[in-house]
Amino acid sequence: MRPYPDLYVLRHGQTEWNAEGRLQGSLNSPLTALGREHARLQGRILAARDISGFRAVSSPMGRAVETAGIAIAPLMPVIETDRRLREIDVGDWSGRLRDELGVPYDPTVPSGETLALYDRAPGGEGLARLETRCRAFLESLEGPAVLVTHGITSRMLRALYLGWSIARLSELPGGQGNVFHMAGGQQEELKAGD
């Protein structure tokens, strides 16, 4: 594995379905007012960093594109999209409430049980296929980039960057309104005011 270039990884801001504890997967839900504030916070974080020479790449899903438009568009004139950054597909569970599936929802805690939910969704993509597409994306990068993606996809990209296995995904922090700087095989979580 060759070393990956420096990255800034953003998860989209809170959506209506995030607030309800509903699985989105390949479906979309618009950002809430708080979600738009998350994106503005991410923009402020990035504005304080030197991102000259970076390219911007977003998932093509509406919630990520909307976040990129708020957080990155004022800083970078071109934002590309790449399907490999979309969220893991949860198949038949798309649009379902987590509580219906017996998994309590706390967006700040990536428990192993919650992550296993994504792997066992009927008709879903599964973590192994997500790993394959995220690895292909990282291997295709020719230089530093700012990425706008989703909760599980962000964790997978960061795990691969760090050289971790899927089994360690639950050790990675998530969150909205923050930015993860990946450089030199290390991760730094950036928050507004840091």
Side-chain angles (χ1 to χ4, degrees):
M1 173 183 88
R2 67 178 175 87
Y4 297 125
D6 288 6
L7 302 174
Y8 288 97
V9 182
L10 291 66
R11 178 188 179 192
H12 62 79
Q14 182 194 62
T15 67
E16 292 175 5
W17 282 14
N18 290 149
E20 294 173 5
R22 194 174 294 277
L23 291 170
Q24 293 176 108
S26 296
L27 299 179
N28 198 56
S29 173
L31 297 183
T32 62
L34 178 57
R36 290 186 293 280
E37 180 57 26
H38 287 146
R40 285 189 287 276
L41 289 171
Q42 291 168 320
R44 288 197 289 277
I45 292 167
L46 290 173
R49 309 296 278 200
D50 180 6
I51 55 172
S52 55
F54 281 67
R55 66 187 258 234
V57 188
S58 174
S59 159
M61 301 181 83
R63 57 196 184 268
V65 170
E66 187 178 358
T67 298
I70 296 167
I72 299 173
L75 306 171
M76 304 174 85
V78 176
I79 302 171
E80 305 166 43
T81 60
D82 192 305
R83 288 185 45 76
R84 294 173 292 185
L85 294 179
R86 71 191 184 282
E87 183 60 300
I88 188 171
D89 185 353
V90 291
D92 297 346
W93 289 349
S94 296
R96 299 271 309 270
L97 289 169
R98 291 169 189 261
D99 288 345
E100 292 174 25
L101 303 172
V103 179
Y105 180 56
D106 181 348
T108 63
V109 180
S111 73
E113 182 181 347
T114 300
L115 290 171
L117 177 75
Y118 290 92
D119 203 31
R120 67 177 190 261
E125 180 177 12
L127 293 173
R129 286 192 295 182
L130 175 64
E131 178 183 21
T132 298
R133 87 168 140 89
C134 287
R135 187 180 305 282
F137 175 80
L138 289 171
E139 293 291 334
S140 75
L141 289 173
E142 295 179 4
V146 177
L147 310 178
V148 181
T149 187
H150 307 268
I152 305 304
T153 303
S154 167
R155 284 189 178 95
M156 184 65 75
L157 289 165
R158 291 182 285 125
L160 291 170
Y161 189 98
L162 296 169
W164 292 7
S165 71
I166 289 176
R168 294 188 67 188
L169 285 181
S170 64
E171 296 176 38
L172 290 166
Q176 291 167 310
N178 55 357
V179 175
F180 294 96
H181 183 210
M182 311 300 294
Q186 300 294 315
Q187 170 182 266
E188 177 187 11
E189 183 177 3
L190 307 172
K191 296 181 180 179
D194 285 350

